[in-house]
């Protein structure tokens, strides 16, 4: 009988083949796709300006024409100025020869044995290259120098034919090719700006006619993210180039405008652009200036401005606009550079944003959002549990402390620790946890909740000022002791139930009640401990998914022994809240809760009993990191 592949394997195979075909198409069709992608980039950048003119009741055709003409005029003016300064730099290079030799001599004197030898080797190689004749043409009768022997004329003369690699025709061909690509990009850009709604509708009709809401959200999200990101990036890089140009001008470096424009342009290249933009002015400063002071000032200028822009301005202005992780930006830069060369490096971030948006809104492409996005892919409770599974106590504590910086201890227990224990319970009952790992999880969780409770206690403490204030506080404390509720927390089945009971006892103690969590034991031992404590309220702590039956049985036994005591069953993190009373078979004196917050509310609502400090609820206590 022939083996039939499962449908999931076939779909994965087709997805892999589709990915390979897509990458091959991007590579072999780059001649057409690169101008189209550049035009899309410019249309995203210029479309806010066109919309602004349209809101001022300027017709679209005139708006597009004005924006394109002004943009081209600005780029052309900057290009002419930069070209002139570049020619000037080239003409001035021979004048800096003496200064370069002086710097080389100083370096040679500093470290003759090491770096000086390398400099000598470079100088010798340069000298040999300069002495090599460009061409030697043999003739039938060559004039011999005086005193030369007759036999020397019999030696064959080596003929070297040097062909200029850049002939006028090749230069013209390359120039026309560049102009042609620029013209295609310009035509595409104008067309996209004029017919942007039509292009959007056609794209929706092509790929998402049956999912109009989904595709509309994806397109709006992509256009908003990319347009805002490109505009902000353009403003940041232009300001960066302006500050660099002014700084180099005041330092005294010639042609500061040229280096400012180059620095701004290269900053569009992720990671590699800023170092390259700083390299040329630094090398030129070594040739222009005497000594090392102003060269170090040039390096310091680039370092300071780059640190401020990269670590302060960019995260503040458009750090959240792309939603791409730093590693994804680096990988995307390498990927698109391999496919499309330097143009791919410039387009890597906008193109990756488009893929990220598709992954966010299209379920079949969700893996793109997981791989490329900067949002956490694991919830805090999953991260905490995963670190415990890896026996990493330190990082598990970091997860809790990070979550506690913006929330309370009560919220941390309800939203992170209890769900993590629920995940452990599920895996334990499915036999996915080893006994040693289970012991480590329980022990580490106990230690962490005790440690965090102590830290929060330090934050909550209030200093006592004056003897009179101390007396009044003592009287209030005595009244509170007389009125506080005595609560016993009882684990229903296993150690996870006991840990949650311990957390509840901590919170009740910090709210002014007398609370304790009794240890695990047999049912008879548990009942005897409850009766001996004579509590006002009994809390049964049960952690789903397999504790409901045990909680219902224990509730009946406690009710039989203590018929007048309030009993509350905490079925922690239980989803079916409306069905809880029915599932537990509670009577009129029994209540069920699913969160620690609801448990605290039940104790505060106990008849004739109030919290000793209702103004300072535990949910308002925050852990402040030193």
């Amino acid at each position: 009988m022939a083996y039939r592949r499962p449908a999931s394997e076939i779909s994965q195979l087709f997805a892999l083949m589709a990915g390979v075909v897509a990458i091959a198409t991007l590579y072999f069709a780059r001649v057409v796709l690169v101008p189209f992608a550049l035009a899309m980039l410019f249309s995203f950048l210029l479309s806010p300006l066109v919309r602004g003119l349209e809101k001022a009741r300027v017709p679209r055709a005139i708006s597009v024409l004005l924006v394109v003409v002004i943009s081209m005029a600005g780029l052309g003016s900057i290009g002419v100025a930069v070209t002139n300064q570049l020619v000037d730099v080239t003409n001035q290079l021979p004048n800096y020869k003496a200064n370069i030799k002086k710097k080389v001599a100083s370096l040679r004197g500093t470290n003759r044995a090491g770096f000086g030898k390398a400099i000598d080797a470079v100088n010798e190689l340069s000298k040999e290259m300069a002495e090599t004749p460009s061409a030697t043409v043999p003739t039938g009768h060559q004039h011999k120098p005086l005193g030369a022997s007759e036999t020397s004329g019999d030696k064959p003369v080596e003929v070297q034919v040097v062909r200029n690699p850049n002939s006028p025709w090749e230069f013209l061909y390359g120039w026309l090719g560049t102009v042609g690509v620029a013209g295609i990009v310009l035509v595409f850009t104008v067309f996209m700006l004029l017919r942007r709604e039509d292009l959007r509708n056609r794209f929706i009709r092509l790929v998402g006619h049956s999912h109009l809401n989904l595709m509309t959200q994806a397109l709006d999200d992509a256009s908003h993210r990319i347009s805002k990101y490109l505009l902000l990036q353009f403003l940041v890089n232009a300001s960066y180039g302006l500050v660099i140009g002014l700084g180099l001008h005041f330092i005294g470096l010639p042609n500061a405008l040229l280096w400012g424009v180059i620095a701004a342009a290269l900053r569009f290249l992720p990671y590699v652009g800023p170092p390259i933009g700083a390299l040329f002015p630094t090398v030129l400063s070594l040739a222009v200036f005497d000594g090392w002071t102003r060269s170090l000032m040039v390096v310091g200028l680039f370092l300071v401005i780059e640190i401020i822009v990269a670590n302060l301005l960019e995260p503040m202005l458009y750090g959240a606009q792309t939603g791409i992780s730093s590693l994804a930006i680096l990988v995307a830069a390498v990927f698109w550079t391999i496919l499309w060369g330097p143009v791919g490096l410039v387009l890597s971030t906008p193109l990756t944003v488009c893929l990220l948006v598709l992954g966010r809104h299209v379920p079949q492409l969700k893996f793109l959002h997981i791989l490329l996005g900067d949002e956490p892919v694991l919830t805090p409770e999953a991260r905490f549990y995963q670190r415990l599974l890896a026996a990493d106590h330190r990082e598990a504590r970091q997860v809790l402390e990070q979550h506690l910086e913006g929330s309370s201890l009560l919220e941390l227990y309800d939203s992170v620790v209890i769900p993590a224990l629920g995940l452990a319970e599920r895996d334990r009952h499915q036999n996915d946890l080893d006994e040693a790992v289970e012991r480590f999880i329980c022990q580490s969780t106990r230690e962490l909740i005790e440690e965090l409770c102590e830290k929060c206690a330090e934050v909550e403490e209030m200093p006592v000022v004056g003897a009179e204030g101390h007396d009044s506080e003592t009287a209030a404390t005595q009244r509170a002791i007389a009125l506080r509720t005595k609560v016993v927390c009882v684990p229903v089945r296993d150690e996870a139930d006991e840990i949650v009971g311990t957390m509840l006892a901590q919170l009740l103690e910090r709210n002014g009640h007398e609370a304790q969590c009794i240890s695990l034991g047999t049912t008879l031992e548990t009942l005897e401990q409850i009766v001996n404590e004579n509590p006002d309220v009994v809390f049964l702590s049960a952690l789903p998914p397999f504790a409901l039956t045990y909680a219902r049985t224990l509730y009946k036994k406690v009710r039989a022994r203590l018929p007048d005591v309030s009993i509350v069953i905490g079925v922690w993190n239980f989803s079916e809240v409306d069905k809880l009373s029915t599932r537990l078979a509670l009577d009129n004196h029994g209540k069920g809760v699913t969160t620690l917050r609801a448990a605290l509310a039940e104790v505060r609502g106990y008849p004739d009993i109030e919290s000793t400090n209702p103004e300072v609820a535990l949910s308002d206590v925050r852990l402040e990191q030193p």
Side-chain angles (χ1 to χ4, degrees):
M1 182 176 180
Y3 171 73
R4 298 184 62 183
R5 292 181 177 271
S8 59
E9 293 186 8
I10 296 176
S11 62
Q12 291 176 2
L13 181 61
F14 275 114
L16 180 61
M17 294 175 59
V20 172
V21 171
I23 294 175
T25 303
L26 290 173
Y27 179 76
F28 290 106
R30 61 186 182 275
V31 177
V32 177
L33 294 178
V34 168
F36 184 81
L38 284 172
M40 185 179 296
L41 180 71
F42 289 132
S43 65
F44 276 123
L45 182 61
L46 299 178
S47 59
L49 302 178
V50 175
R51 290 195 188 97
L53 291 177
E54 289 180 349
K55 290 180 180 178
R57 298 186 181 278
V58 178
R60 172 169 298 184
I62 298 177
S63 300
V64 172
L65 183 63
L66 285 175
V67 170
V68 171
V69 169
I70 293 174
S71 301
M72 291 180 60
L75 290 176
S77 302
I78 296 175
V80 171
V82 169
T83 302
N84 293 334
Q85 292 208 2
L86 185 60
V87 173
D88 183 63
V89 168
T90 305
N91 295 332
Q92 293 296 328
L93 284 178
N95 300 332
Y96 305 138
K97 183 183 297 184
N99 197 23
I100 294 175
K101 290 182 178 180
K102 184 177 178 181
K103 292 283 180 66
V104 171
S106 65
L107 290 175
R108 183 188 295 116
T110 303
N111 189 4
R112 179 70 187 178
F115 190 60
K117 292 182 179 181
I119 295 176
D120 290 341
V122 173
N123 290 336
E124 184 178 352
L125 180 60
S126 302
K127 184 177 179 181
E128 292 179 359
M129 293 176 64
E131 292 176 355
T132 301
S134 59
T136 347
V137 181
T139 57
H141 301 280
Q142 294 184 350
H143 296 283
K144 300 176 182 178
L146 294 175
S149 63
E150 294 294 327
T151 58
S152 61
D154 299 333
K155 184 178 179 179
V157 179
E158 182 180 358
V159 178
Q160 295 181 356
V161 180
V162 179
R163 179 177 176 269
N164 185 9
N166 293 323
S167 64
W169 291 108
E170 291 179 348
F171 175 78
L172 180 62
Y173 178 78
W175 184 80
L176 289 177
T178 303
V179 172
V181 172
I184 294 173
V185 172
L186 179 61
V187 171
F188 278 170
T189 303
V190 173
F191 180 81
M192 289 179 182
L193 291 173
L194 288 173
R195 306 293 300 275
R196 59 178 183 270
E197 288 87 359
D198 182 65
L199 291 175
R200 179 197 62 199
N201 296 337
R202 291 180 182 277
F203 181 76
I204 291 176
R205 179 66 179 86
L206 180 65
V207 299
H209 179 64
S210 58
H211 304 282
L212 290 178
N213 181 41
L214 185 67
M215 291 309 303
T216 300
Q217 292 179 4
L219 290 176
D220 289 344
D221 190 8
S223 61
H224 176 74
R225 280 176 179 265
I226 297 176
S227 296
K228 193 169 184 179
Y229 166 74
L230 291 176
L231 183 59
L232 290 174
Q233 188 184 39
F234 175 79
L235 295 176
V236 169
N237 292 350
S239 303
Y240 175 88
L242 178 62
V243 173
I244 290 294
L246 291 175
L248 295 178
H249 174 74
F250 287 116
I251 292 174
L253 189 70
N255 309 106
L257 173 63
L258 171 65
W259 309 121
V261 172
I262 290 177
L266 288 175
R267 224 177 169 282
F268 284 94
L269 303 180
Y271 301 105
V272 299
I276 295 176
L279 177 64
F280 297 111
T282 302
V283 173
L284 183 63
S285 68
L286 295 174
V288 173
F289 300 130
D290 295 328
W292 303 92
T293 303
R294 286 196 279 184
S295 297
L296 293 176
M297 291 174 64
V298 171
V299 176
L301 173 67
F302 276 96
L303 284 176
V304 171
I305 300 301
E306 179 62 27
I307 290 174
I308 293 175
V309 172
N311 296 283
L312 182 62
L313 290 181
E314 286 183 339
M316 181 178 63
L317 291 178
Y318 57 81
Q321 294 300 324
T322 60
I324 310 175
S325 66
S326 301
L327 179 61
I329 291 177
L330 179 60
V331 174
V334 175
F335 174 78
W336 290 108
T337 303
I338 293 175
L339 284 182
W340 290 354
V343 178
L345 184 60
V346 176
L347 295 172
S348 61
T349 300
L351 291 174
T352 309
V353 170
C354 294
L355 295 177
L356 178 68
V357 171
L358 287 176
R360 173 174 297 176
H361 294 285
V362 180
Q364 292 81 1
L365 301 177
K366 188 177 181 180
F367 69 94
L368 293 174
H369 182 250
I370 296 175
L371 293 176
L372 304 176
D374 60 351
E375 299 175 1
V377 294
L378 291 179
T379 58
E381 63 269 21
R383 289 168 53 205
F384 175 63
Y385 178 52
Q386 191 271 334
R387 287 294 85 201
L388 290 179
L389 288 174
D392 191 343
H393 184 88
R394 180 187 62 83
E395 193 168 341
R397 181 175 61 250
Q398 289 180 355
V399 173
L400 297 184
E401 290 178 346
Q402 291 173 0
H403 193 274
L404 194 55
E405 290 177 2
S407 62
S408 67
L409 189 63
L410 172 61
E411 294 167 348
L412 175 70
Y413 287 167
D414 266 337
S415 60
V416 178
V417 180
I418 292 179
L421 290 174
L423 295 175
E425 280 292 288
R426 181 197 62 189
D427 289 347
R428 185 174 71 88
H429 286 281
Q430 292 176 355
N431 296 322
D432 291 336
L433 280 184
D434 295 335
E435 185 176 352
V437 176
E438 182 185 350
R439 286 198 304 268
F440 177 82
I441 291 174
C442 293
Q443 182 62 30
S444 297
T445 305
R446 285 183 182 276
E447 295 174 358
L448 288 172
I449 62 175
E450 291 175 1
E451 181 181 343
L452 294 176
C453 186
E454 291 176 359
K455 288 186 177 181
C456 287
E458 296 175 0
V459 174
E460 195 183 28
E461 288 179 355
M462 301 295 292
V464 179
V465 181
E468 182 179 354
H470 177 72
D471 293 339
S472 62
E473 182 177 347
T474 302
T477 303
Q478 291 175 352
R479 290 194 302 269
I481 292 174
L483 294 175
R484 65 184 181 179
T485 309
K486 187 174 184 180
V487 182
V488 172
C489 301
V490 182
V492 168
R493 186 186 182 197
D494 52 29
E495 192 171 0
D497 300 335
E498 184 179 348
I499 293 174
V500 182
T502 303
M503 291 189 286
L504 177 58
Q506 287 180 354
L507 299 177
L508 290 170
E509 285 282 348
R510 293 172 59 78
N511 264 240
H513 303 291
E514 181 182 353
Q516 66 168 330
C517 180
I518 65 176
S519 302
L520 279 171
T522 63
T523 302
L524 183 60
E525 293 173 347
T526 300
L527 292 174
E528 290 299 327
Q529 291 186 61
I530 296 173
V531 172
N532 293 335
E533 293 295 335
N534 191 24
D536 299 311
V537 179
V538 175
F539 263 99
L540 303 183
S541 175
L543 192 63
F546 301 101
L548 287 175
T549 303
Y550 294 91
R552 185 166 54 245
T553 303
L554 185 58
Y555 170 76
K556 293 179 180 179
K557 293 181 179 181
V558 175
R559 173 61 67 207
R561 297 290 297 271
L562 299 172
D564 298 327
V565 174
S566 294
I567 303 176
V568 182
I569 303 180
V571 185
W572 313 117
N573 205 32
F574 188 67
S575 56
E576 301 176 358
V577 181
D578 298 335
K579 301 179 180 179
L580 184 59
S581 298
T582 305
R583 296 283 298 274
L584 294 174
L586 299 177
D587 55 22
N588 295 332
H589 298 286
K591 295 182 180 180
V593 296
T594 59
T595 64
L596 294 178
R597 181 180 296 277
L600 292 181
E602 287 293 335
V603 176
R604 282 197 292 266
Y606 186 77
D608 301 326
I609 299 296
E610 295 181 356
S611 175
T612 60
N613 193 4
E615 290 83 7
V616 183
L618 189 62
S619 58
D620 295 328
V621 178
R622 300 293 191 271
L623 175 61
E624 297 178 1
Q625 297 294 333

